mmCIF file of all heavy atoms in Angstrom:
data_model
loop_
_atom_site.group_PDB
_atom_site.id
_atom_site.type_symbol
_atom_site.label_atom_id
_atom_site.label_comp_id
_atom_site.label_asym_id
_atom_site.label_seq_id
_atom_site.Cartn_x
_atom_site.Cartn_y
_atom_site.Cartn_z
ATOM 1 N N GLU A 141 83.255 111.194 43.894
ATOM 2 C CA GLU A 141 82.403 112.339 43.553
ATOM 3 C C GLU A 141 83.205 113.350 42.756
ATOM 4 O O GLU A 141 84.256 113.818 43.206
ATOM 5 C CB GLU A 141 81.862 112.997 44.828
ATOM 6 C CG GLU A 141 80.985 114.212 44.557
ATOM 7 C CD GLU A 141 80.554 114.900 45.851
ATOM 8 O OE1 GLU A 141 80.563 114.249 46.918
ATOM 9 O OE2 GLU A 141 80.209 116.110 45.778
ATOM 10 N N ASP A 142 82.724 113.662 41.574
ATOM 11 C CA ASP A 142 83.393 114.656 40.736
ATOM 12 C C ASP A 142 83.408 115.994 41.471
ATOM 13 O O ASP A 142 82.361 116.510 41.873
ATOM 14 C CB ASP A 142 82.665 114.792 39.398
ATOM 15 C CG ASP A 142 83.444 115.632 38.399
ATOM 16 O OD1 ASP A 142 83.628 116.838 38.672
ATOM 17 O OD2 ASP A 142 83.863 115.097 37.360
ATOM 18 N N VAL A 143 84.580 116.547 41.656
ATOM 19 C CA VAL A 143 84.731 117.770 42.435
ATOM 20 C C VAL A 143 83.979 118.931 41.811
ATOM 21 O O VAL A 143 83.407 119.775 42.518
ATOM 22 C CB VAL A 143 86.223 118.116 42.609
ATOM 23 C CG1 VAL A 143 86.404 119.480 43.265
ATOM 24 C CG2 VAL A 143 86.942 117.037 43.427
ATOM 25 N N LEU A 144 83.925 118.991 40.506
ATOM 26 C CA LEU A 144 83.314 120.137 39.819
ATOM 27 C C LEU A 144 81.824 119.961 39.574
ATOM 28 O O LEU A 144 81.052 120.914 39.687
ATOM 29 C CB LEU A 144 84.028 120.388 38.489
ATOM 30 C CG LEU A 144 85.509 120.774 38.605
ATOM 31 C CD1 LEU A 144 86.101 121.020 37.217
ATOM 32 C CD2 LEU A 144 85.679 122.020 39.481
ATOM 33 N N THR A 145 81.385 118.749 39.249
ATOM 34 C CA THR A 145 79.977 118.540 38.884
ATOM 35 C C THR A 145 79.138 117.968 40.018
ATOM 36 O O THR A 145 77.907 118.064 39.982
ATOM 37 C CB THR A 145 79.864 117.596 37.683
ATOM 38 O OG1 THR A 145 80.271 116.267 38.083
ATOM 39 C CG2 THR A 145 80.735 118.073 36.528
ATOM 40 N N GLY A 146 79.782 117.354 41.013
ATOM 41 C CA GLY A 146 79.048 116.712 42.089
ATOM 42 C C GLY A 146 78.523 115.338 41.736
ATOM 43 O O GLY A 146 77.850 114.689 42.552
ATOM 44 N N GLU A 147 78.804 114.855 40.528
ATOM 45 C CA GLU A 147 78.353 113.527 40.118
ATOM 46 C C GLU A 147 79.028 112.463 40.996
ATOM 47 O O GLU A 147 80.246 112.474 41.183
ATOM 48 C CB GLU A 147 78.709 113.270 38.654
ATOM 49 C CG GLU A 147 78.345 111.870 38.173
ATOM 50 C CD GLU A 147 78.912 111.549 36.798
ATOM 51 O OE1 GLU A 147 79.726 112.350 36.281
ATOM 52 O OE2 GLU A 147 78.560 110.482 36.259
ATOM 53 N N VAL A 148 78.243 111.555 41.544
ATOM 54 C CA VAL A 148 78.767 110.473 42.371
ATOM 55 C C VAL A 148 78.880 109.211 41.531
ATOM 56 O O VAL A 148 77.907 108.764 40.903
ATOM 57 C CB VAL A 148 77.869 110.209 43.592
ATOM 58 C CG1 VAL A 148 78.359 108.992 44.378
ATOM 59 C CG2 VAL A 148 77.826 111.436 44.508
ATOM 60 N N LEU A 149 80.070 108.655 41.500
ATOM 61 C CA LEU A 149 80.308 107.394 40.790
ATOM 62 C C LEU A 149 80.232 106.258 41.798
ATOM 63 O O LEU A 149 80.932 106.263 42.821
ATOM 64 C CB LEU A 149 81.679 107.408 40.120
ATOM 65 C CG LEU A 149 81.981 108.574 39.169
ATOM 66 C CD1 LEU A 149 83.338 108.375 38.495
ATOM 67 C CD2 LEU A 149 80.886 108.722 38.120
ATOM 68 N N ASP A 150 79.376 105.304 41.524
ATOM 69 C CA ASP A 150 79.152 104.180 42.431
ATOM 70 C C ASP A 150 79.155 102.893 41.614
ATOM 71 O O ASP A 150 78.127 102.477 41.086
ATOM 72 C CB ASP A 150 77.820 104.364 43.161
ATOM 73 C CG ASP A 150 77.509 103.240 44.134
ATOM 74 O OD1 ASP A 150 78.410 102.423 44.401
ATOM 75 O OD2 ASP A 150 76.372 103.187 44.633
ATOM 76 N N PHE A 151 80.319 102.277 41.518
ATOM 77 C CA PHE A 151 80.468 101.096 40.678
ATOM 78 C C PHE A 151 80.099 99.800 41.401
ATOM 79 O O PHE A 151 79.881 98.778 40.758
ATOM 80 C CB PHE A 151 81.907 100.990 40.177
ATOM 81 C CG PHE A 151 82.372 102.190 39.392
ATOM 82 C CD1 PHE A 151 83.247 103.105 39.957
ATOM 83 C CD2 PHE A 151 81.912 102.415 38.098
ATOM 84 C CE1 PHE A 151 83.678 104.212 39.243
ATOM 85 C CE2 PHE A 151 82.341 103.523 37.371
ATOM 86 C CZ PHE A 151 83.221 104.427 37.950
ATOM 87 N N PHE A 152 80.038 99.819 42.730
ATOM 88 C CA PHE A 152 79.927 98.562 43.481
ATOM 89 C C PHE A 152 78.798 98.568 44.514
ATOM 90 O O PHE A 152 78.813 97.771 45.448
ATOM 91 C CB PHE A 152 81.262 98.260 44.165
ATOM 92 C CG PHE A 152 82.424 98.257 43.212
ATOM 93 C CD1 PHE A 152 83.318 99.315 43.187
ATOM 94 C CD2 PHE A 152 82.606 97.223 42.310
ATOM 95 C CE1 PHE A 152 84.390 99.325 42.312
ATOM 96 C CE2 PHE A 152 83.664 97.225 41.417
ATOM 97 C CZ PHE A 152 84.570 98.276 41.414
ATOM 98 N N GLY A 153 77.829 99.448 44.350
ATOM 99 C CA GLY A 153 76.671 99.436 45.245
ATOM 100 C C GLY A 153 76.914 100.060 46.599
ATOM 101 O O GLY A 153 76.256 99.710 47.581
ATOM 102 N N GLY A 154 77.821 101.030 46.663
ATOM 103 C CA GLY A 154 78.138 101.652 47.932
ATOM 104 C C GLY A 154 76.998 102.464 48.526
ATOM 105 O O GLY A 154 76.791 102.459 49.742
ATOM 106 N N ARG A 155 76.236 103.138 47.680
ATOM 107 C CA ARG A 155 75.132 103.954 48.196
ATOM 108 C C ARG A 155 74.047 103.074 48.809
ATOM 109 O O ARG A 155 73.462 103.415 49.847
ATOM 110 C CB ARG A 155 74.549 104.837 47.088
ATOM 111 C CG ARG A 155 75.536 105.842 46.520
ATOM 112 C CD ARG A 155 74.901 106.840 45.586
ATOM 113 N NE ARG A 155 74.269 107.929 46.328
ATOM 114 C CZ ARG A 155 74.000 109.129 45.802
ATOM 115 N NH1 ARG A 155 74.320 109.381 44.545
ATOM 116 N NH2 ARG A 155 73.436 110.064 46.513
ATOM 117 N N GLU A 156 73.783 101.954 48.179
ATOM 118 C CA GLU A 156 72.796 101.024 48.744
ATOM 119 C C GLU A 156 73.285 100.475 50.079
ATOM 120 O O GLU A 156 72.506 100.350 51.040
ATOM 121 C CB GLU A 156 72.536 99.871 47.773
ATOM 122 C CG GLU A 156 71.513 98.864 48.310
ATOM 123 C CD GLU A 156 71.308 97.675 47.388
ATOM 124 O OE1 GLU A 156 71.870 97.682 46.271
ATOM 125 O OE2 GLU A 156 70.608 96.729 47.797
ATOM 126 N N ASP A 157 74.588 100.172 50.161
ATOM 127 C CA ASP A 157 75.131 99.653 51.419
ATOM 128 C C ASP A 157 75.091 100.708 52.512
ATOM 129 O O ASP A 157 74.861 100.393 53.687
ATOM 130 C CB ASP A 157 76.562 99.156 51.209
ATOM 131 C CG ASP A 157 76.605 97.840 50.447
ATOM 132 O OD1 ASP A 157 75.578 97.130 50.433
ATOM 133 O OD2 ASP A 157 77.659 97.515 49.862
ATOM 134 N N LEU A 158 75.297 101.976 52.146
ATOM 135 C CA LEU A 158 75.150 103.054 53.127
ATOM 136 C C LEU A 158 73.714 103.106 53.646
ATOM 137 O O LEU A 158 73.479 103.245 54.846
ATOM 138 C CB LEU A 158 75.504 104.405 52.503
ATOM 139 C CG LEU A 158 76.978 104.789 52.388
ATOM 140 C CD1 LEU A 158 77.099 106.149 51.724
ATOM 141 C CD2 LEU A 158 77.657 104.811 53.750
ATOM 142 N N ALA A 159 72.761 102.987 52.747
ATOM 143 C CA ALA A 159 71.356 103.054 53.132
ATOM 144 C C ALA A 159 70.967 101.866 54.004
ATOM 145 O O ALA A 159 70.139 102.007 54.924
ATOM 146 C CB ALA A 159 70.478 103.109 51.879
ATOM 147 N N ARG A 160 71.549 100.711 53.731
ATOM 148 C CA ARG A 160 71.204 99.502 54.477
ATOM 149 C C ARG A 160 72.059 99.326 55.734
ATOM 150 O O ARG A 160 71.806 98.426 56.520
ATOM 151 C CB ARG A 160 71.364 98.277 53.573
ATOM 152 C CG ARG A 160 70.402 98.266 52.398
ATOM 153 C CD ARG A 160 70.577 97.041 51.533
ATOM 154 N NE ARG A 160 70.328 95.800 52.271
ATOM 155 C CZ ARG A 160 70.357 94.588 51.733
ATOM 156 N NH1 ARG A 160 70.646 94.463 50.441
ATOM 157 N NH2 ARG A 160 70.123 93.515 52.457
ATOM 158 N N GLY A 161 73.072 100.181 55.892
ATOM 159 C CA GLY A 161 73.940 100.048 57.052
ATOM 160 C C GLY A 161 74.774 98.788 56.984
ATOM 161 O O GLY A 161 74.827 98.013 57.949
ATOM 162 N N ARG A 162 75.460 98.607 55.872
ATOM 163 C CA ARG A 162 76.182 97.351 55.641
ATOM 164 C C ARG A 162 77.628 97.626 55.260
ATOM 165 O O ARG A 162 77.925 98.503 54.451
ATOM 166 C CB ARG A 162 75.490 96.557 54.526
ATOM 167 C CG ARG A 162 76.132 95.230 54.200
ATOM 168 C CD ARG A 162 75.248 94.432 53.242
ATOM 169 N NE ARG A 162 75.017 95.139 51.983
ATOM 170 C CZ ARG A 162 74.183 94.704 51.039
ATOM 171 N NH1 ARG A 162 73.478 93.593 51.240
ATOM 172 N NH2 ARG A 162 74.028 95.381 49.913
ATOM 173 N N ILE A 163 78.545 96.857 55.861
ATOM 174 C CA ILE A 163 79.963 96.882 55.500
ATOM 175 C C ILE A 163 80.215 95.688 54.584
ATOM 176 O O ILE A 163 80.091 94.537 55.002
ATOM 177 C CB ILE A 163 80.874 96.774 56.745
ATOM 178 C CG1 ILE A 163 80.519 97.831 57.783
ATOM 179 C CG2 ILE A 163 82.344 96.870 56.341
ATOM 180 C CD1 ILE A 163 80.770 99.236 57.368
ATOM 181 N N ARG A 164 80.576 95.961 53.321
ATOM 182 C CA ARG A 164 80.774 94.886 52.346
ATOM 183 C C ARG A 164 82.017 95.180 51.522
ATOM 184 O O ARG A 164 82.219 96.299 51.067
ATOM 185 C CB ARG A 164 79.538 94.779 51.437
ATOM 186 C CG ARG A 164 79.562 93.630 50.440
ATOM 187 C CD ARG A 164 78.182 93.463 49.806
ATOM 188 N NE ARG A 164 77.734 94.683 49.147
ATOM 189 C CZ ARG A 164 77.984 94.976 47.864
ATOM 190 N NH1 ARG A 164 78.705 94.153 47.100
ATOM 191 N NH2 ARG A 164 77.530 96.109 47.342
ATOM 192 N N HIS A 165 82.865 94.177 51.341
ATOM 193 C CA HIS A 165 84.108 94.401 50.615
ATOM 194 C C HIS A 165 83.837 94.559 49.116
ATOM 195 O O HIS A 165 82.826 94.079 48.600
ATOM 196 C CB HIS A 165 85.098 93.265 50.861
ATOM 197 C CG HIS A 165 84.669 91.928 50.338
ATOM 198 N ND1 HIS A 165 83.765 91.118 50.991
ATOM 199 C CD2 HIS A 165 85.023 91.255 49.202
ATOM 200 C CE1 HIS A 165 83.586 90.010 50.300
ATOM 201 N NE2 HIS A 165 84.330 90.067 49.202
ATOM 202 N N VAL A 166 84.771 95.222 48.447
ATOM 203 C CA VAL A 166 84.610 95.498 47.018
ATOM 204 C C VAL A 166 84.963 94.284 46.182
ATOM 205 O O VAL A 166 84.182 93.823 45.348
ATOM 206 C CB VAL A 166 85.496 96.701 46.604
ATOM 207 C CG1 VAL A 166 85.466 96.876 45.084
ATOM 208 C CG2 VAL A 166 85.022 97.977 47.287
ATOM 209 N N ASP A 167 86.137 93.736 46.400
ATOM 210 C CA ASP A 167 86.653 92.676 45.529
ATOM 211 C C ASP A 167 87.457 91.686 46.378
ATOM 212 O O ASP A 167 88.394 92.087 47.065
ATOM 213 C CB ASP A 167 87.540 93.298 44.439
ATOM 214 C CG ASP A 167 88.024 92.295 43.418
ATOM 215 O OD1 ASP A 167 88.909 91.499 43.762
ATOM 216 O OD2 ASP A 167 87.536 92.329 42.274
ATOM 217 N N SER A 168 87.105 90.433 46.321
ATOM 218 C CA SER A 168 87.773 89.427 47.163
ATOM 219 C C SER A 168 89.256 89.317 46.864
ATOM 220 O O SER A 168 90.073 89.128 47.776
ATOM 221 C CB SER A 168 87.102 88.062 46.969
ATOM 222 O OG SER A 168 85.757 88.091 47.391
ATOM 223 N N SER A 169 89.638 89.454 45.596
ATOM 224 C CA SER A 169 91.041 89.257 45.229
ATOM 225 C C SER A 169 91.926 90.400 45.700
ATOM 226 O O SER A 169 93.095 90.195 46.048
ATOM 227 C CB SER A 169 91.169 89.081 43.711
ATOM 228 O OG SER A 169 90.719 90.250 43.038
ATOM 229 N N THR A 170 91.397 91.622 45.735
ATOM 230 C CA THR A 170 92.204 92.756 46.199
ATOM 231 C C THR A 170 92.059 92.979 47.699
ATOM 232 O O THR A 170 92.990 93.458 48.343
ATOM 233 C CB THR A 170 91.810 94.043 45.452
ATOM 234 O OG1 THR A 170 90.415 94.305 45.657
ATOM 235 C CG2 THR A 170 92.082 93.901 43.968
ATOM 236 N N PHE A 171 90.910 92.624 48.265
ATOM 237 C CA PHE A 171 90.675 92.851 49.690
ATOM 238 C C PHE A 171 91.721 92.145 50.541
ATOM 239 O O PHE A 171 92.216 92.683 51.535
ATOM 240 C CB PHE A 171 89.277 92.350 50.066
ATOM 241 C CG PHE A 171 88.913 92.585 51.510
ATOM 242 C CD1 PHE A 171 88.402 93.811 51.920
ATOM 243 C CD2 PHE A 171 89.077 91.585 52.458
ATOM 244 C CE1 PHE A 171 88.062 94.027 53.247
ATOM 245 C CE2 PHE A 171 88.740 91.795 53.790
ATOM 246 C CZ PHE A 171 88.228 93.025 54.186
ATOM 247 N N VAL A 172 92.089 90.936 50.167
ATOM 248 C CA VAL A 172 92.976 90.115 50.999
ATOM 249 C C VAL A 172 94.434 90.574 50.933
ATOM 250 O O VAL A 172 95.282 90.015 51.636
ATOM 251 C CB VAL A 172 92.886 88.629 50.597
ATOM 252 C CG1 VAL A 172 91.478 88.116 50.806
ATOM 253 C CG2 VAL A 172 93.327 88.428 49.140
ATOM 254 N N GLU A 173 94.733 91.580 50.118
ATOM 255 C CA GLU A 173 96.110 92.042 50.021
ATOM 256 C C GLU A 173 96.550 92.831 51.248
ATOM 257 O O GLU A 173 97.745 93.019 51.467
ATOM 258 C CB GLU A 173 96.289 92.887 48.751
ATOM 259 C CG GLU A 173 96.182 92.052 47.483
ATOM 260 C CD GLU A 173 96.335 92.893 46.222
ATOM 261 O OE1 GLU A 173 96.200 94.134 46.316
ATOM 262 O OE2 GLU A 173 96.588 92.324 45.153
ATOM 263 N N ASP A 174 95.612 93.318 52.032
ATOM 264 C CA ASP A 174 95.950 94.013 53.275
ATOM 265 C C ASP A 174 95.074 93.449 54.386
ATOM 266 O O ASP A 174 93.889 93.760 54.486
ATOM 267 C CB ASP A 174 95.732 95.516 53.137
ATOM 268 C CG ASP A 174 96.163 96.272 54.389
ATOM 269 O OD1 ASP A 174 96.701 95.625 55.306
ATOM 270 O OD2 ASP A 174 95.953 97.497 54.451
ATOM 271 N N HIS A 175 95.676 92.641 55.249
ATOM 272 C CA HIS A 175 94.904 91.952 56.283
ATOM 273 C C HIS A 175 94.404 92.892 57.380
ATOM 274 O O HIS A 175 93.549 92.502 58.176
ATOM 275 C CB HIS A 175 95.741 90.822 56.884
ATOM 276 C CG HIS A 175 96.035 89.734 55.894
ATOM 277 N ND1 HIS A 175 96.672 88.563 56.234
ATOM 278 C CD2 HIS A 175 95.769 89.634 54.559
ATOM 279 C CE1 HIS A 175 96.800 87.791 55.164
ATOM 280 N NE2 HIS A 175 96.263 88.427 54.140
ATOM 281 N N LEU A 176 94.906 94.116 57.418
ATOM 282 C CA LEU A 176 94.386 95.076 58.385
ATOM 283 C C LEU A 176 92.917 95.367 58.124
ATOM 284 O O LEU A 176 92.203 95.826 59.026
ATOM 285 C CB LEU A 176 95.189 96.384 58.330
ATOM 286 C CG LEU A 176 94.865 97.397 59.433
ATOM 287 C CD1 LEU A 176 95.384 96.910 60.777
ATOM 288 C CD2 LEU A 176 95.433 98.772 59.112
ATOM 289 N N ARG A 177 92.443 95.066 56.947
ATOM 290 C CA ARG A 177 91.056 95.334 56.604
ATOM 291 C C ARG A 177 90.087 94.541 57.483
ATOM 292 O O ARG A 177 88.925 94.920 57.623
ATOM 293 C CB ARG A 177 90.832 95.055 55.124
ATOM 294 C CG ARG A 177 91.503 96.113 54.244
ATOM 295 C CD ARG A 177 91.516 95.743 52.781
ATOM 296 N NE ARG A 177 91.950 96.888 51.975
ATOM 297 C CZ ARG A 177 92.131 96.836 50.657
ATOM 298 N NH1 ARG A 177 91.928 95.698 49.997
ATOM 299 N NH2 ARG A 177 92.520 97.925 49.994
ATOM 300 N N VAL A 178 90.551 93.468 58.074
ATOM 301 C CA VAL A 178 89.737 92.751 59.061
ATOM 302 C C VAL A 178 89.381 93.698 60.207
ATOM 303 O O VAL A 178 88.218 93.809 60.615
ATOM 304 C CB VAL A 178 90.502 91.525 59.613
ATOM 305 C CG1 VAL A 178 89.738 90.886 60.762
ATOM 306 C CG2 VAL A 178 90.754 90.512 58.496
ATOM 307 N N LEU A 179 90.388 94.384 60.733
ATOM 308 C CA LEU A 179 90.166 95.329 61.823
ATOM 309 C C LEU A 179 89.350 96.531 61.363
ATOM 310 O O LEU A 179 88.512 97.058 62.113
ATOM 311 C CB LEU A 179 91.510 95.821 62.373
ATOM 312 C CG LEU A 179 92.302 94.927 63.329
ATOM 313 C CD1 LEU A 179 91.546 94.675 64.602
ATOM 314 C CD2 LEU A 179 92.740 93.625 62.693
ATOM 315 N N ARG A 180 89.588 96.962 60.138
ATOM 316 C CA ARG A 180 88.845 98.107 59.605
ATOM 317 C C ARG A 180 87.364 97.775 59.469
ATOM 318 O O ARG A 180 86.499 98.623 59.741
ATOM 319 C CB ARG A 180 89.425 98.539 58.259
ATOM 320 C CG ARG A 180 90.739 99.288 58.395
ATOM 321 C CD ARG A 180 91.383 99.580 57.041
ATOM 322 N NE ARG A 180 90.560 100.419 56.180
ATOM 323 C CZ ARG A 180 90.439 101.741 56.290
ATOM 324 N NH1 ARG A 180 91.061 102.373 57.260
ATOM 325 N NH2 ARG A 180 89.689 102.416 55.445
ATOM 326 N N ALA A 181 87.037 96.553 59.067
ATOM 327 C CA ALA A 181 85.631 96.149 58.964
ATOM 328 C C ALA A 181 84.950 96.253 60.326
ATOM 329 O O ALA A 181 83.854 96.815 60.455
ATOM 330 C CB ALA A 181 85.526 94.725 58.430
ATOM 331 N N ALA A 182 85.623 95.741 61.354
ATOM 332 C CA ALA A 182 85.062 95.788 62.709
ATOM 333 C C ALA A 182 84.982 97.224 63.214
ATOM 334 O O ALA A 182 84.006 97.613 63.878
ATOM 335 C CB ALA A 182 85.906 94.931 63.642
ATOM 336 N N GLN A 183 85.992 98.009 62.893
ATOM 337 C CA GLN A 183 86.038 99.402 63.345
ATOM 338 C C GLN A 183 84.935 100.230 62.698
ATOM 339 O O GLN A 183 84.266 101.034 63.358
ATOM 340 C CB GLN A 183 87.424 99.976 63.017
ATOM 341 C CG GLN A 183 87.652 101.403 63.446
ATOM 342 C CD GLN A 183 87.728 102.332 62.240
ATOM 343 O OE1 GLN A 183 86.905 103.234 62.106
ATOM 344 N NE2 GLN A 183 88.696 102.121 61.370
ATOM 345 N N PHE A 184 84.720 100.043 61.395
ATOM 346 C CA PHE A 184 83.647 100.777 60.722
ATOM 347 C C PHE A 184 82.283 100.356 61.254
ATOM 348 O O PHE A 184 81.378 101.184 61.403
ATOM 349 C CB PHE A 184 83.712 100.565 59.215
ATOM 350 C CG PHE A 184 84.768 101.384 58.520
ATOM 351 C CD1 PHE A 184 85.669 100.790 57.654
ATOM 352 C CD2 PHE A 184 84.864 102.740 58.734
ATOM 353 C CE1 PHE A 184 86.653 101.537 57.023
ATOM 354 C CE2 PHE A 184 85.839 103.503 58.105
ATOM 355 C CZ PHE A 184 86.735 102.893 57.244
ATOM 356 N N ALA A 185 82.126 99.069 61.534
ATOM 357 C CA ALA A 185 80.852 98.591 62.086
ATOM 358 C C ALA A 185 80.556 99.297 63.403
ATOM 359 O O ALA A 185 79.424 99.706 63.667
ATOM 360 C CB ALA A 185 80.905 97.076 62.277
ATOM 361 N N ALA A 186 81.590 99.458 64.240
ATOM 362 C CA ALA A 186 81.415 100.120 65.528
ATOM 363 C C ALA A 186 81.149 101.611 65.352
ATOM 364 O O ALA A 186 80.258 102.181 65.997
ATOM 365 C CB ALA A 186 82.651 99.897 66.399
ATOM 366 N N ARG A 187 81.901 102.264 64.489
ATOM 367 C CA ARG A 187 81.762 103.716 64.314
ATOM 368 C C ARG A 187 80.418 104.107 63.738
ATOM 369 O O ARG A 187 79.822 105.108 64.145
ATOM 370 C CB ARG A 187 82.873 104.234 63.397
ATOM 371 C CG ARG A 187 84.203 104.438 64.081
ATOM 372 C CD ARG A 187 85.272 104.830 63.081
ATOM 373 N NE ARG A 187 84.956 106.071 62.379
ATOM 374 C CZ ARG A 187 85.674 106.536 61.359
ATOM 375 N NH1 ARG A 187 86.732 105.855 60.925
ATOM 376 N NH2 ARG A 187 85.352 107.671 60.779
ATOM 377 N N PHE A 188 79.929 103.336 62.766
ATOM 378 C CA PHE A 188 78.723 103.742 62.057
ATOM 379 C C PHE A 188 77.486 102.974 62.487
ATOM 380 O O PHE A 188 76.384 103.272 62.020
ATOM 381 C CB PHE A 188 78.936 103.582 60.549
ATOM 382 C CG PHE A 188 80.070 104.427 60.012
ATOM 383 C CD1 PHE A 188 81.164 103.834 59.421
ATOM 384 C CD2 PHE A 188 80.037 105.793 60.126
ATOM 385 C CE1 PHE A 188 82.224 104.604 58.946
ATOM 386 C CE2 PHE A 188 81.085 106.577 59.651
ATOM 387 C CZ PHE A 188 82.181 105.979 59.051
#
Side-chain angles (χ1 to χ4, degrees):
E141 179 184 338
D142 190 295
V143 173
L144 297 181
T145 69
E147 177 190 9
V148 175
L149 305 185
D150 180 11
F151 302 105
F152 306 105
R155 297 189 82 159
E156 180 183 354
D157 286 339
L158 279 179
R160 296 180 61 177
R162 181 171 60 186
I163 307 294
R164 184 169 58 90
H165 65 281
V166 173
D167 185 286
S168 297
S169 62
T170 58
F171 182 84
V172 298
E173 291 179 343
D174 184 4
H175 294 186
L176 188 71
R177 289 170 170 176
V178 173
L179 281 297
R180 285 174 61 79
Q183 181 250 118
F184 282 129
R187 280 175 60 187
F188 299 118

